[in-house]
Every structure is written in structure tokens, then in C-alpha cells.
Amino acid sequence: MDDSGKTLAVLSGEINMSKAQTGVYLAGKLPTQAFIAALIRATVRPELRERRQEEALALREQAMRPAPRTTTGAPVVAGPGAGYALELAAAQAQQIETYDRLTRALEQRADVERAKNNSDKLVMVLLNMIHQLNRRVTDLVQERDQLLARPRSEALEDAERKLARAEEQEQRARAELRRAEEKQRQAEDLEARVTDQLRRLTDELDRLRAGDTTSPLDTLPALPEAGPVSADPVGDDIDAVLARASAVNDEDNTTLNRLTTELNEPATWWVVQDNPPDNPEVLASRSVSAASLLPGVPDEGQEAARALLRRSPAPDLFVRFLAEATRWENVQVHGIKRQNAKPGAPLDYSRYLRLRRQGSQFGGFAYVYAEHSSINLRLHHTRDQLDAIGATRARTRVTGHRAYRVSIDLTDETSLTQALHLAELAYAAT
């Protein structure tokens, strides 16, 4: 492998084996004959393959029949070079482990930089928007006051509608600004932690050097084309920008929560294990989502939903939410019907799950996203209403289905408690 100049990622792709398992074999675990043959095909010139494979299989045969110990506790008399081989295997294992950790840390730094850049840009955009909205509100107040002296007219009603809309937009802009500023602080903290981790890993593996890891500044997510122009085009433009701001905040929130979870985990999760643990105590200490079925999810949807959950920033919290909600009376979990699906086609569980109160005329009281550990609820609360009931972690939505206007991400115990409370409200309303 060293002679071929191929990286572990490239090699694992060519031999059709996971990087983790390839790393285990290269670190010294006794490989299979199939792995040896595939490795040689990928790394050795054609004219040398047959001889190299014979040598490798002979070495494997020797490794399968080590010299027996003649006396308990007595050292094995090894052949020439055995000590060097053991040291080499140990060094390779350490290199592979540290390389994987370093690669992951570089990916984390790029994610943090992208989220921080987004938040920095968003704060500037929102500050400017709030300034413009203040001026718009002032102008609309003057316009309304001038029209008050006249008999009730369509122009006065139009001015009042625009004023109410502008005031609501200013509240939303300030809420998104608070979220963006919080993302700034969170990203700065994560950036410092990742930078320290990179320094330590680079010192540990000085010979490994990564390329340019700076990430380009992503633009704000594009929205679908707007419909017919309304009587308030300025307000429409402001709504569109606020929708984009909310989308960026949502995306950065998911990224930063995932990175926070990863950085809070012990560093040993990067280490490649020779064999999966079968000790019940070890399995019990793992994430509940990795050791049990998802509560309430039909058998046909378990595999797809659990695949999404493996990418979740907070799988345990998501499973606990699902376990509690599915204990309520007549609650069932469903997939979604694909567009243009034929009659009798199975439901789709590969995007999100639908929680429905059986017998209700509504489609469901919540849509839950395993991949992001986020809950979208059939509620239409304003920001003030959410604050009044203590749902400080929830946010109002301006996109998607008009009935589902409240969303919350599961990040800690507080968010889980608030999500369950909101879900109960949505459940009762359906």
C-alpha cells in the first residue's frame, strides 16, 4: 500500500470494503484470503502479483499456526524479525487511528467555519433589515395617521395591513438576529475546541499533512420562485429574505448541534475495534437508538428510519421523544405516501415520520425528522405565544405547510421537555 501511494480512502473504495475494516486488516488483524487477493490487485503491478500473492498467503498460513508455548508463561521463541513485525503492526494501527481522527477534525473545522461565516453574514443582513423595517414602520405610521382624518377608506385599510405586517416582520427579524448571534457565540467556542484538537493531532502525527481546508462561503439557500405579485411587494421581498435567514439559521443550528455532540463524545469513538463488543454492559452503555427498535415505527419502516437516525446529532433525545409520544392514546407512526405512488404501494420512511392521532380528521399532529432530531408541529403560535408558555427553544416557521408553523430541534433535556409539551398541545388540538 505504501509503495502504491494510495490513501486508505482510495484503497477501500477499490477493494469494495469499508475504510474501517480495511484499516483493521492493515493494522495487523489476520486478513482473509479474499482481502489479500483484492489488496494485491489494487496495489501491485500485474507482473508481480502472482509472486506477491504466494508470499502473502504463505505468511498468512504461518500466522494461522503460531508456535505453541512449551511452558505456561514462558515467552514464545520468535523467528527473526518477529519483534519488528509486531512493532510495525502497532505503529500502523496508531497511524491509521490518528489519521482518521485528524481527517475528522479537519472536516469539523470546515463545518464550523462555514457555520460561523453564515452567522456573521446573517447578523449583518438582519441588522440592516431591522434598520430598514424601523424606517418602514415609521413611514407607514405617518401614512396611516394622515388617512385617519378622512372617512374610512380602502387606502386606510391597506396602510393598516402593511403596518401590521411590517411590525410582525420586525419581530421576526429580531428573533432571527438573536438566533444568529447565538450561533456566532456557539461557533466561536467550537472553533477554539477544534483548533486545539487539530494542534494536538498534528503534533501526534507530524508527518501527515492535510491540504487546504478552508471552505468557501456558501450563499443563502435559494427559495422557490415567488407567485403573483401582491399589493405589498416590499413586504413580499422582506418575507423572502426572512425565510432565507430562517433556513440558514436552521441549517447552522443542525450543524453546530451535531459538532457539539461529536466533540463532547470521548475520543475513543474514532478507534477501530477488532471485533464488535458482545458484552451486555457495553451494549447497554451505547445510544439507545443503536441498541433497540424505534418506538412505534412499523417493521417496514425500521431500517430506513434507523439509517436516518445514525446521522442524527441527538439520537437518544429523538428516541425518547418518540417513546413518550407513542404512549399517548391512539397515536400511531406512519411514513408518507410518495408522489405518483400506485395504489397499495408501501409508505416512504426515508425522509420523515408522521405522528397521527387515529380517528382524527387531520393528517397528523407532528412530523418528526430522525436525521436532524427536529420536530415540526401542527401549531400556529406566534413568537410571543411560544414565549408565554415557556417554549423558548421553539421557533416559528414561514415556509412549508400553513398548518405546521412551529418547529423545535432536540439538543438537550430542556428542548426535549418543551418539544413534548408542544406535541401534547398539537395532539389535543387534533
Side-chain angles (χ1 to χ4, degrees), residues 302-367:
Q302 283 285 337
E303 183 177 352
R306 286 163 62 82
L308 294 174
L309 194 63
R310 283 193 288 271
R311 300 193 291 271
S312 166
D316 290 336
L317 295 174
F318 182 85
V319 172
R320 288 169 58 190
F321 174 89
L322 210 57
E324 177 63 26
T326 52
R327 280 199 290 265
W328 301 341
E329 185 177 3
N330 293 330
V331 171
Q332 291 188 6
V333 180
H334 304 272
I336 60 173
K337 184 176 293 186
R338 300 183 184 92
Q339 290 185 347
N340 303 320
K342 297 180 180 180
L347 297 176
D348 183 8
Y349 294 85
S350 63
R351 295 174 58 195
Y352 53 84
L353 305 174
R354 180 164 52 97
L355 271 59
R356 184 182 181 190
R357 184 176 184 174
Q358 294 304 107
S360 168
Q361 60 179 327
F362 301 104
F365 65 88
Y367 289 95

Side-chain angles (χ1 to χ4, degrees), residues 63-332:
M64 292 178 65
R65 295 175 174 78
R69 294 180 183 271
T70 55
T71 306
T72 303
V76 176
V77 179
Y84 172 76
L86 292 174
E87 291 178 1
L88 179 61
Q92 288 176 334
Q94 181 63 31
Q95 290 169 5
I96 291 170
E97 174 197 340
T98 308
Y99 177 79
D100 284 346
R101 293 166 60 193
L102 182 62
T103 301
R104 183 68 190 126
L106 289 169
E107 293 172 352
Q108 290 172 333
R109 184 175 71 175
D111 289 342
V112 170
E113 287 178 349
R114 182 161 47 251
K116 185 175 182 299
N117 287 337
N118 282 347
S119 296
D120 291 343
K121 182 177 180 180
L122 199 54
V123 166
M124 296 180 61
V125 170
L126 289 169
L127 284 172
N128 183 57
M129 174 181 287
I130 290 170
H131 175 69
Q132 294 181 13
L133 282 167
N134 283 333
R135 293 175 56 185
R136 178 169 168 79
V137 167
T138 300
D139 293 342
L140 288 170
V141 168
Q142 293 177 352
E143 180 182 347
R144 180 203 59 185
D145 291 345
Q146 292 173 357
L147 293 170
L148 284 174
R150 306 176 185 177
R152 195 74 183 175
S153 64
E154 184 177 342
L156 176 59
E157 293 178 356
D158 183 60
E160 289 178 338
R161 282 195 300 269
K162 290 180 179 179
L163 176 59
R165 185 181 187 185
E167 289 174 339
E168 189 269 339
Q169 288 173 333
E170 183 181 0
Q171 292 180 356
R172 282 163 49 198
R174 292 188 183 279
E176 293 298 339
L177 177 62
R178 289 194 296 270
R179 291 180 64 201
E181 289 174 338
E182 177 59 30
K183 299 297 173 293
Q184 275 184 316
R185 290 189 289 270
Q186 189 178 357
E188 288 171 358
D189 176 65
L190 289 174
E191 187 175 40
R193 293 172 62 183
V194 172
T195 299
D196 181 66
Q197 185 179 72
L198 278 171
R199 179 186 57 77
R200 289 185 286 104
L201 289 172
T202 303
D203 290 342
E204 180 182 344
L205 197 60
D206 195 43
R207 72 179 183 85
L208 289 179
R209 286 291 182 266
D212 182 14
T213 59
T214 57
S215 57
L217 176 63
D218 289 348
T219 58
L220 295 178
L223 294 177
E225 294 183 3
V229 178
S230 70
D232 186 14
V234 175
D236 292 342
D237 291 342
I238 293 171
D239 273 342
V241 176
L242 284 172
R244 295 172 65 196
S246 179
V248 173
N249 266 331
D250 289 348
E251 179 184 354
D252 290 346
N253 188 64
T254 300
T255 299
L256 294 176
N257 287 335
R258 171 177 58 79
L259 291 173
T260 299
T261 301
E262 291 177 359
L263 291 174
N264 286 337
E265 291 178 350
T268 52
W269 77 274
W270 275 300
V271 179
V272 177
Q273 300 291 340
D274 282 350
N275 295 296
D278 53 7
N279 187 323
E281 294 182 359
V282 174
L283 291 174
S285 68
R286 286 181 170 182
S287 161
V288 64
S289 61
S292 57
L293 296 176
L294 292 182
V297 179
D299 291 343
E300 65 182 24
Q302 283 285 337
E303 183 177 352
R306 286 163 62 82
L308 294 174
L309 194 63
R310 283 193 288 271
R311 300 193 291 271
S312 166
D316 290 336
L317 295 174
F318 182 85
V319 172
R320 288 169 58 190
F321 174 89
L322 210 57
E324 177 63 26
T326 52
R327 280 199 290 265
W328 301 341
E329 185 177 3
N330 293 330
V331 171
Q332 291 188 6

